[in-house]
Amino acid sequence: DLHILDHRLRVTSISKTGLERYTHPLIKLIFLRNRTRCKFFSLTETPENYTVVLDEEGFKELQPSEHLLVEASIWLPLNVVSNGNASSSSQAVGVTKIAKSVIAPLAEQHVSVFMLSTYQTDFILVREKDLSVVVETLEEEFNIFREEGGESVPVQSQDAWEGLQRNGREVMHATVHPVLIPENQFCVMSLDPDTLPAIATTLIDVLFYSNSPEEGASVNQNMECIKFFSFSLIDGYVSLVMDTEAQRQFPADLLFTSSSGELWRMVRIGGQPLGFDECGIVAQISQPLAGSDISAYYISTFSFDHALDISSGFFRHLSRTPTHRFVMHGISYAIYRPC
């Protein structure tokens, strides 16, 4: 089943120089969710900025300023539910589970997606104006439901919303994207939301007071590690992505991950900000991994995309190419490894 969740989301960016202006509302959104009534909140720090994805209730907390960039569209989160059938441990997890059934078909229909993988699940964000195309594209593969007031209502293409038409975009041309492979290793973890107060000091320190690169600092092939920290609080579930250095600052008995305690490597896609209109970037990364049954999580941010691979299978895939550029399905990527 494919569920269109009952959230209307905004994708925003807060500059690092303007973070001081938004520290209070962000702390409120993280720790006082009952007061803000925000049910979908995600904050990701990268070297350039903070990407904040949140529902309309949460968006009210962010006052306009020159430090806040807001993508113009309303985004809707989609979630694949497997009817209670648990995947075996040998199967790929994360975005590769839905690469062929969701990501690739949407790319073929020129629908731009914004991915947010969490400890619990994967959210595929699509623009509200593209919803009729999404439903028509995926209805043969999925039973599609739209959540309304706690109820799941079946959706079919003939019930398409008025005013939503096919986007009519032309076939995309090959695009060159640099790919950076930083040296840090990452953890995908979760936390009982009731224990958030116990890590409040550490979480605030890591998010707002850590030594981060200055805004506009370049990320290039010589940077061995990059700053990346993601916190999501969505419908009462907490998900965190952090590198091992940040993990050591948290109490080990409060954070939990899978029993194997695996570490992940990251692939960062994009040399210049990717924008929101280009289609197929997620598909180009996830499809080859899915073909090899390799687990991967995928987190889009305001400027760049990030794929997390547990098995280094993506790196082995790259190493088979004789040059520092490789092509997947018409899009050319340049590869940069830290020295």
Side-chain angles (χ1 to χ4, degrees), residues 79-137:
N79 183 223
V80 175
V81 180
S82 57
N83 293 319
N85 295 324
S87 299
S88 70
S89 58
S90 63
Q91 291 179 315
V93 299
V95 69
T96 47
K97 288 176 61 177
I98 55 174
K100 296 179 180 179
S101 59
V102 179
I103 302 300
L106 293 181
E108 291 172 0
Q109 295 300 319
H110 318 303
V111 174
S112 179
V113 302
F114 188 96
M115 280 300 308
L116 179 59
S117 292
T118 69
Y119 182 88
Q120 293 82 15
T121 189
D122 297 281
F123 297 100
I124 312 106
L125 275 59
V126 298
R127 288 185 170 106
E128 189 175 51
K129 65 183 179 63
D130 289 333
L131 190 55
S132 62
V133 181
V134 171
V135 172
E136 185 175 343
T137 301

Short mmCIF file of all heavy atoms in Angstrom, two decimals, residues 79-137:
data_model
loop_
_atom_site.label_atom_id
_atom_site.label_comp_id
_atom_site.label_asym_id
_atom_site.label_seq_id
_atom_site.Cartn_x
_atom_site.Cartn_y
_atom_site.Cartn_z
N ASN A 79 4.34 7.30 1.84
CA ASN A 79 4.96 6.25 2.63
C ASN A 79 4.45 4.89 2.15
O ASN A 79 3.25 4.70 1.99
CB ASN A 79 4.64 6.46 4.11
CG ASN A 79 5.30 5.45 5.02
OD1 ASN A 79 4.68 4.95 5.94
ND2 ASN A 79 6.57 5.16 4.78
N VAL A 80 5.37 3.96 1.90
CA VAL A 80 4.99 2.62 1.46
C VAL A 80 4.82 1.73 2.68
O VAL A 80 5.71 1.63 3.53
CB VAL A 80 6.06 2.02 0.52
CG1 VAL A 80 5.71 0.57 0.17
CG2 VAL A 80 6.18 2.85 -0.75
N VAL A 81 3.67 1.10 2.79
CA VAL A 81 3.35 0.18 3.89
C VAL A 81 3.25 -1.22 3.32
O VAL A 81 2.51 -1.46 2.36
CB VAL A 81 2.03 0.59 4.59
CG1 VAL A 81 1.71 -0.37 5.73
CG2 VAL A 81 2.13 2.02 5.10
N SER A 82 3.99 -2.15 3.93
CA SER A 82 4.11 -3.49 3.33
C SER A 82 3.10 -4.49 3.89
O SER A 82 3.39 -5.69 3.94
CB SER A 82 5.53 -4.02 3.55
OG SER A 82 5.84 -4.06 4.93
N ASN A 83 1.96 -4.02 4.37
CA ASN A 83 0.90 -4.91 4.84
C ASN A 83 1.36 -5.84 5.97
O ASN A 83 0.90 -6.97 6.09
CB ASN A 83 0.35 -5.76 3.69
CG ASN A 83 -0.38 -4.92 2.66
OD1 ASN A 83 -1.11 -4.01 3.00
ND2 ASN A 83 -0.15 -5.22 1.39
N GLY A 84 2.30 -5.33 6.75
CA GLY A 84 2.75 -6.10 7.90
C GLY A 84 3.75 -7.19 7.59
O GLY A 84 4.19 -7.91 8.49
N ASN A 85 4.14 -7.34 6.33
CA ASN A 85 5.12 -8.37 5.98
C ASN A 85 6.53 -7.84 6.22
O ASN A 85 6.97 -6.92 5.54
CB ASN A 85 4.98 -8.77 4.50
CG ASN A 85 3.64 -9.43 4.24
OD1 ASN A 85 3.12 -10.15 5.09
ND2 ASN A 85 3.07 -9.17 3.06
N ALA A 86 7.21 -8.39 7.19
CA ALA A 86 8.57 -7.94 7.50
C ALA A 86 9.54 -8.44 6.44
O ALA A 86 9.46 -9.58 5.98
CB ALA A 86 8.99 -8.45 8.87
N SER A 87 10.48 -7.57 6.08
CA SER A 87 11.50 -7.96 5.11
C SER A 87 12.55 -8.82 5.81
O SER A 87 12.89 -8.59 6.96
CB SER A 87 12.17 -6.72 4.50
OG SER A 87 11.22 -5.93 3.84
N SER A 88 13.08 -9.80 5.10
CA SER A 88 14.14 -10.60 5.67
C SER A 88 15.41 -9.79 5.73
O SER A 88 15.59 -8.81 5.01
CB SER A 88 14.37 -11.86 4.82
OG SER A 88 14.94 -11.50 3.57
N SER A 89 16.34 -10.21 6.59
CA SER A 89 17.56 -9.45 6.79
C SER A 89 18.44 -9.43 5.56
O SER A 89 19.34 -8.62 5.44
CB SER A 89 18.36 -10.04 7.97
OG SER A 89 18.66 -11.39 7.73
N SER A 90 18.21 -10.36 4.62
CA SER A 90 19.03 -10.41 3.41
C SER A 90 18.56 -9.42 2.36
O SER A 90 19.24 -9.21 1.36
CB SER A 90 19.00 -11.82 2.82
OG SER A 90 17.68 -12.16 2.42
N GLN A 91 17.42 -8.81 2.57
CA GLN A 91 16.89 -7.89 1.58
C GLN A 91 17.40 -6.48 1.83
O GLN A 91 17.71 -6.10 2.95
CB GLN A 91 15.37 -7.90 1.61
CG GLN A 91 14.75 -9.19 1.11
CD GLN A 91 13.24 -9.16 1.19
OE1 GLN A 91 12.67 -8.75 2.19
NE2 GLN A 91 12.60 -9.57 0.12
N ALA A 92 17.48 -5.70 0.76
CA ALA A 92 17.89 -4.31 0.89
C ALA A 92 16.86 -3.54 1.70
O ALA A 92 15.67 -3.84 1.68
CB ALA A 92 18.05 -3.69 -0.50
N VAL A 93 17.34 -2.56 2.43
CA VAL A 93 16.44 -1.70 3.19
C VAL A 93 16.67 -0.27 2.76
O VAL A 93 17.60 0.06 2.04
CB VAL A 93 16.69 -1.84 4.72
CG1 VAL A 93 16.42 -3.26 5.17
CG2 VAL A 93 18.11 -1.42 5.08
N GLY A 94 15.80 0.61 3.27
CA GLY A 94 15.93 2.02 2.91
C GLY A 94 15.38 2.30 1.53
O GLY A 94 14.47 1.63 1.04
N VAL A 95 15.94 3.30 0.89
CA VAL A 95 15.40 3.78 -0.37
C VAL A 95 15.49 2.73 -1.47
O VAL A 95 14.69 2.74 -2.42
CB VAL A 95 16.11 5.08 -0.79
CG1 VAL A 95 17.55 4.83 -1.19
CG2 VAL A 95 15.36 5.78 -1.90
N THR A 96 16.44 1.80 -1.37
CA THR A 96 16.57 0.81 -2.42
C THR A 96 15.37 -0.14 -2.46
O THR A 96 15.11 -0.77 -3.49
CB THR A 96 17.86 0.00 -2.23
OG1 THR A 96 17.97 -0.40 -0.86
CG2 THR A 96 19.07 0.83 -2.59
N LYS A 97 14.63 -0.26 -1.36
CA LYS A 97 13.43 -1.10 -1.35
C LYS A 97 12.35 -0.54 -2.27
O LYS A 97 11.52 -1.28 -2.77
CB LYS A 97 12.87 -1.22 0.07
CG LYS A 97 13.70 -2.08 0.99
CD LYS A 97 13.15 -2.06 2.40
CE LYS A 97 11.75 -2.60 2.48
NZ LYS A 97 11.24 -2.64 3.87
N ILE A 98 12.35 0.77 -2.47
CA ILE A 98 11.30 1.40 -3.26
C ILE A 98 11.86 2.02 -4.54
O ILE A 98 11.16 2.75 -5.22
CB ILE A 98 10.56 2.48 -2.44
CG1 ILE A 98 11.55 3.50 -1.87
CG2 ILE A 98 9.75 1.84 -1.33
CD1 ILE A 98 10.87 4.66 -1.17
N ALA A 99 13.10 1.71 -4.87
CA ALA A 99 13.73 2.32 -6.04
C ALA A 99 12.99 1.98 -7.33
O ALA A 99 12.72 2.85 -8.16
CB ALA A 99 15.20 1.90 -6.13
N LYS A 100 12.67 0.69 -7.49
CA LYS A 100 12.06 0.25 -8.75
C LYS A 100 10.56 0.49 -8.78
O LYS A 100 9.98 0.72 -9.85
CB LYS A 100 12.37 -1.22 -8.98
CG LYS A 100 13.85 -1.52 -9.17
CD LYS A 100 14.10 -3.01 -9.37
CE LYS A 100 15.58 -3.29 -9.56
NZ LYS A 100 15.85 -4.74 -9.73
N SER A 101 9.92 0.42 -7.61
CA SER A 101 8.46 0.51 -7.59
C SER A 101 7.93 1.93 -7.48
O SER A 101 6.81 2.21 -7.90
CB SER A 101 7.90 -0.32 -6.43
OG SER A 101 8.42 0.13 -5.20
N VAL A 102 8.73 2.84 -6.89
CA VAL A 102 8.25 4.22 -6.68
C VAL A 102 9.18 5.24 -7.33
O VAL A 102 8.74 6.06 -8.14
CB VAL A 102 8.13 4.53 -5.16
CG1 VAL A 102 7.66 5.98 -4.95
CG2 VAL A 102 7.17 3.56 -4.48
N ILE A 103 10.45 5.21 -6.97
CA ILE A 103 11.37 6.26 -7.39
C ILE A 103 11.56 6.29 -8.91
O ILE A 103 11.43 7.34 -9.55
CB ILE A 103 12.74 6.09 -6.70
CG1 ILE A 103 12.57 6.10 -5.17
CG2 ILE A 103 13.70 7.19 -7.15
CD1 ILE A 103 11.98 7.35 -4.62
N ALA A 104 11.85 5.14 -9.50
CA ALA A 104 12.09 5.10 -10.95
C ALA A 104 10.86 5.48 -11.76
O ALA A 104 10.95 6.29 -12.69
CB ALA A 104 12.61 3.73 -11.35
N PRO A 105 9.66 4.93 -11.47
CA PRO A 105 8.49 5.34 -12.25
C PRO A 105 8.19 6.84 -12.16
O PRO A 105 7.79 7.45 -13.16
CB PRO A 105 7.35 4.52 -11.61
CG PRO A 105 8.02 3.33 -11.03
CD PRO A 105 9.34 3.83 -10.52
N LEU A 106 8.39 7.44 -10.99
CA LEU A 106 8.15 8.88 -10.87
C LEU A 106 9.18 9.68 -11.68
O LEU A 106 8.84 10.69 -12.29
CB LEU A 106 8.17 9.31 -9.41
CG LEU A 106 7.04 8.78 -8.53
CD1 LEU A 106 7.17 9.31 -7.11
CD2 LEU A 106 5.67 9.15 -9.11
N ALA A 107 10.42 9.21 -11.69
CA ALA A 107 11.45 9.90 -12.49
C ALA A 107 11.11 9.83 -13.97
O ALA A 107 11.29 10.81 -14.71
CB ALA A 107 12.82 9.27 -12.23
N GLU A 108 10.59 8.69 -14.41
CA GLU A 108 10.21 8.55 -15.83
C GLU A 108 9.08 9.50 -16.20
O GLU A 108 8.96 9.90 -17.36
CB GLU A 108 9.81 7.11 -16.10
CG GLU A 108 10.97 6.13 -16.03
CD GLU A 108 10.53 4.69 -16.13
OE1 GLU A 108 9.29 4.47 -16.25
OE2 GLU A 108 11.37 3.78 -16.08
N GLN A 109 8.25 9.86 -15.23
CA GLN A 109 7.16 10.81 -15.48
C GLN A 109 7.57 12.24 -15.13
O GLN A 109 6.73 13.12 -15.04
CB GLN A 109 5.93 10.40 -14.67
CG GLN A 109 5.32 9.08 -15.09
CD GLN A 109 4.87 9.09 -16.53
OE1 GLN A 109 4.31 10.07 -17.01
NE2 GLN A 109 5.13 7.99 -17.24
N HIS A 110 8.88 12.44 -14.91
CA HIS A 110 9.43 13.78 -14.67
C HIS A 110 8.85 14.42 -13.41
O HIS A 110 8.61 15.63 -13.37
CB HIS A 110 9.21 14.69 -15.88
CG HIS A 110 9.47 14.03 -17.19
ND1 HIS A 110 10.68 13.45 -17.49
CD2 HIS A 110 8.67 13.81 -18.26
CE1 HIS A 110 10.62 12.92 -18.71
NE2 HIS A 110 9.41 13.11 -19.19
N VAL A 111 8.63 13.59 -12.39
CA VAL A 111 8.17 14.10 -11.10
C VAL A 111 9.38 14.22 -10.19
O VAL A 111 10.07 13.24 -9.91
CB VAL A 111 7.13 13.16 -10.46
CG1 VAL A 111 6.78 13.62 -9.05
CG2 VAL A 111 5.87 13.10 -11.33
N SER A 112 9.64 15.43 -9.72
CA SER A 112 10.75 15.67 -8.81
C SER A 112 10.36 15.21 -7.41
O SER A 112 9.24 15.46 -6.95
CB SER A 112 11.10 17.16 -8.80
OG SER A 112 12.16 17.42 -7.90
N VAL A 113 11.28 14.50 -6.73
CA VAL A 113 11.01 14.03 -5.37
C VAL A 113 12.06 14.57 -4.42
O VAL A 113 13.18 14.91 -4.82
CB VAL A 113 10.98 12.48 -5.30
CG1 VAL A 113 9.94 11.92 -6.24
CG2 VAL A 113 12.36 11.89 -5.58
N PHE A 114 11.68 14.64 -3.16
CA PHE A 114 12.57 15.05 -2.08
C PHE A 114 12.54 13.91 -1.07
O PHE A 114 11.49 13.60 -0.52
CB PHE A 114 12.06 16.35 -1.45
CG PHE A 114 13.00 16.98 -0.45
CD1 PHE A 114 13.87 17.99 -0.84
CD2 PHE A 114 13.00 16.58 0.88
CE1 PHE A 114 14.72 18.59 0.08
CE2 PHE A 114 13.84 17.17 1.81
CZ PHE A 114 14.71 18.17 1.41
N MET A 115 13.67 13.23 -0.86
CA MET A 115 13.69 12.02 -0.06
C MET A 115 14.10 12.31 1.39
O MET A 115 14.98 13.12 1.64
CB MET A 115 14.68 11.01 -0.63
CG MET A 115 14.16 10.22 -1.81
SD MET A 115 12.68 9.23 -1.45
CE MET A 115 13.20 8.33 0.01
N LEU A 116 13.45 11.62 2.30
CA LEU A 116 13.82 11.71 3.71
C LEU A 116 13.72 10.30 4.32
O LEU A 116 12.64 9.83 4.66
CB LEU A 116 12.91 12.68 4.46
CG LEU A 116 13.18 12.84 5.95
CD1 LEU A 116 14.60 13.33 6.19
CD2 LEU A 116 12.17 13.79 6.59
N SER A 117 14.87 9.63 4.42
CA SER A 117 14.92 8.33 5.08
C SER A 117 15.10 8.55 6.57
O SER A 117 15.89 9.40 6.99
CB SER A 117 16.08 7.49 4.54
OG SER A 117 15.87 7.10 3.21
N THR A 118 14.40 7.77 7.37
CA THR A 118 14.54 7.82 8.82
C THR A 118 14.81 6.42 9.35
O THR A 118 14.78 5.44 8.59
CB THR A 118 13.28 8.39 9.49
OG1 THR A 118 12.20 7.45 9.35
CG2 THR A 118 12.88 9.72 8.88
N TYR A 119 15.04 6.32 10.64
CA TYR A 119 15.27 5.02 11.27
C TYR A 119 14.07 4.10 11.06
O TYR A 119 14.22 2.89 10.88
CB TYR A 119 15.51 5.22 12.76
CG TYR A 119 15.79 3.95 13.54
CD1 TYR A 119 17.09 3.47 13.65
CD2 TYR A 119 14.77 3.25 14.18
CE1 TYR A 119 17.36 2.31 14.37
CE2 TYR A 119 15.03 2.09 14.89
CZ TYR A 119 16.32 1.62 14.99
OH TYR A 119 16.58 0.48 15.69
N GLN A 120 12.87 4.68 11.04
CA GLN A 120 11.64 3.87 10.98
C GLN A 120 11.19 3.57 9.56
O GLN A 120 10.68 2.50 9.28
CB GLN A 120 10.51 4.57 11.74
CG GLN A 120 10.71 4.67 13.24
CD GLN A 120 11.61 5.83 13.65
OE1 GLN A 120 11.88 6.74 12.85
NE2 GLN A 120 12.06 5.83 14.89
N THR A 121 11.35 4.55 8.64
CA THR A 121 10.76 4.38 7.31
C THR A 121 11.38 5.37 6.34
O THR A 121 12.30 6.12 6.69
CB THR A 121 9.24 4.59 7.39
OG1 THR A 121 8.65 4.22 6.14
CG2 THR A 121 8.88 6.02 7.70
N ASP A 122 10.88 5.37 5.11
CA ASP A 122 11.30 6.31 4.08
C ASP A 122 10.11 7.16 3.66
O ASP A 122 9.05 6.63 3.35
CB ASP A 122 11.85 5.58 2.85
CG ASP A 122 13.09 4.78 3.17
OD1 ASP A 122 14.17 5.39 3.25
OD2 ASP A 122 12.98 3.55 3.33
N PHE A 123 10.30 8.46 3.63
CA PHE A 123 9.28 9.37 3.15
C PHE A 123 9.68 9.90 1.79
O PHE A 123 10.80 10.38 1.60
CB PHE A 123 9.09 10.54 4.12
CG PHE A 123 8.61 10.12 5.49
CD1 PHE A 123 9.50 10.00 6.54
CD2 PHE A 123 7.27 9.84 5.72
CE1 PHE A 123 9.07 9.61 7.80
CE2 PHE A 123 6.83 9.45 6.96
CZ PHE A 123 7.73 9.33 8.01
N ILE A 124 8.77 9.79 0.83
CA ILE A 124 8.99 10.33 -0.50
C ILE A 124 8.12 11.58 -0.61
O ILE A 124 6.89 11.49 -0.62
CB ILE A 124 8.58 9.33 -1.61
CG1 ILE A 124 9.16 7.95 -1.33
CG2 ILE A 124 9.00 9.84 -2.98
CD1 ILE A 124 8.16 6.94 -0.84
N LEU A 125 8.74 12.73 -0.66
CA LEU A 125 7.99 13.98 -0.74
C LEU A 125 7.80 14.36 -2.20
O LEU A 125 8.77 14.38 -2.98
CB LEU A 125 8.72 15.11 0.00
CG LEU A 125 8.49 15.23 1.51
CD1 LEU A 125 8.90 13.95 2.24
CD2 LEU A 125 9.25 16.43 2.08
N VAL A 126 6.57 14.66 -2.57
CA VAL A 126 6.26 15.12 -3.92
C VAL A 126 5.49 16.44 -3.82
O VAL A 126 4.82 16.70 -2.82
CB VAL A 126 5.43 14.09 -4.71
CG1 VAL A 126 6.22 12.80 -4.87
CG2 VAL A 126 4.09 13.82 -4.03
N ARG A 127 5.61 17.25 -4.85
CA ARG A 127 4.86 18.51 -4.85
C ARG A 127 3.36 18.22 -4.95
O ARG A 127 2.93 17.32 -5.66
CB ARG A 127 5.30 19.38 -6.02
CG ARG A 127 6.69 19.99 -5.85
CD ARG A 127 6.96 20.92 -7.02
NE ARG A 127 8.16 21.70 -6.83
CZ ARG A 127 9.31 21.49 -7.49
NH1 ARG A 127 9.40 20.48 -8.35
NH2 ARG A 127 10.36 22.27 -7.27
N GLU A 128 2.60 19.01 -4.24
CA GLU A 128 1.15 18.84 -4.25
C GLU A 128 0.59 18.93 -5.66
O GLU A 128 -0.33 18.21 -6.04
CB GLU A 128 0.51 19.88 -3.33
CG GLU A 128 -0.97 19.68 -3.09
CD GLU A 128 -1.51 20.68 -2.08
OE1 GLU A 128 -1.27 21.89 -2.25
OE2 GLU A 128 -2.17 20.24 -1.12
N LYS A 129 1.16 19.81 -6.48
CA LYS A 129 0.66 20.00 -7.84
C LYS A 129 0.93 18.79 -8.74
O LYS A 129 0.31 18.63 -9.79
CB LYS A 129 1.28 21.25 -8.47
CG LYS A 129 2.78 21.18 -8.70
CD LYS A 129 3.30 22.50 -9.27
CE LYS A 129 4.80 22.48 -9.50
NZ LYS A 129 5.21 21.47 -10.49
N ASP A 130 1.85 17.90 -8.32
CA ASP A 130 2.15 16.70 -9.10
C ASP A 130 1.37 15.48 -8.64
O ASP A 130 1.57 14.38 -9.15
CB ASP A 130 3.66 16.37 -9.00
CG ASP A 130 4.53 17.37 -9.75
OD1 ASP A 130 4.02 17.96 -10.73
OD2 ASP A 130 5.69 17.55 -9.38
N LEU A 131 0.47 15.65 -7.69
CA LEU A 131 -0.15 14.49 -7.06
C LEU A 131 -0.96 13.64 -8.03
O LEU A 131 -0.95 12.41 -7.96
CB LEU A 131 -1.04 14.93 -5.89
CG LEU A 131 -1.56 13.81 -5.00
CD1 LEU A 131 -0.43 12.95 -4.47
CD2 LEU A 131 -2.37 14.38 -3.85
N SER A 132 -1.67 14.26 -8.94
CA SER A 132 -2.46 13.47 -9.89
C SER A 132 -1.56 12.61 -10.77
O SER A 132 -1.91 11.46 -11.09
CB SER A 132 -3.33 14.38 -10.76
OG SER A 132 -2.54 15.24 -11.54
N VAL A 133 -0.39 13.12 -11.15
CA VAL A 133 0.56 12.35 -11.94
C VAL A 133 1.11 11.19 -11.11
O VAL A 133 1.26 10.07 -11.60
CB VAL A 133 1.71 13.25 -12.44
CG1 VAL A 133 2.68 12.44 -13.29
CG2 VAL A 133 1.16 14.43 -13.23
N VAL A 134 1.38 11.46 -9.85
CA VAL A 134 1.88 10.42 -8.95
C VAL A 134 0.87 9.28 -8.82
O VAL A 134 1.22 8.10 -8.94
CB VAL A 134 2.19 11.02 -7.56
CG1 VAL A 134 2.51 9.92 -6.56
CG2 VAL A 134 3.34 12.02 -7.65
N VAL A 135 -0.38 9.63 -8.59
CA VAL A 135 -1.42 8.60 -8.42
C VAL A 135 -1.57 7.78 -9.70
O VAL A 135 -1.61 6.54 -9.67
CB VAL A 135 -2.75 9.25 -8.02
CG1 VAL A 135 -3.89 8.22 -8.05
CG2 VAL A 135 -2.65 9.89 -6.64
N GLU A 136 -1.64 8.44 -10.83
CA GLU A 136 -1.81 7.73 -12.10
C GLU A 136 -0.63 6.83 -12.40
O GLU A 136 -0.77 5.74 -12.95
CB GLU A 136 -2.02 8.74 -13.23
CG GLU A 136 -2.32 8.09 -14.57
CD GLU A 136 -2.63 9.11 -15.65
OE1 GLU A 136 -2.92 10.27 -15.30
OE2 GLU A 136 -2.57 8.75 -16.83
N THR A 137 0.57 7.29 -12.03
CA THR A 137 1.78 6.52 -12.31
C THR A 137 1.90 5.28 -11.45
O THR A 137 2.35 4.22 -11.91
CB THR A 137 3.02 7.42 -12.09
OG1 THR A 137 2.95 8.56 -12.95
CG2 THR A 137 4.31 6.65 -12.39
#
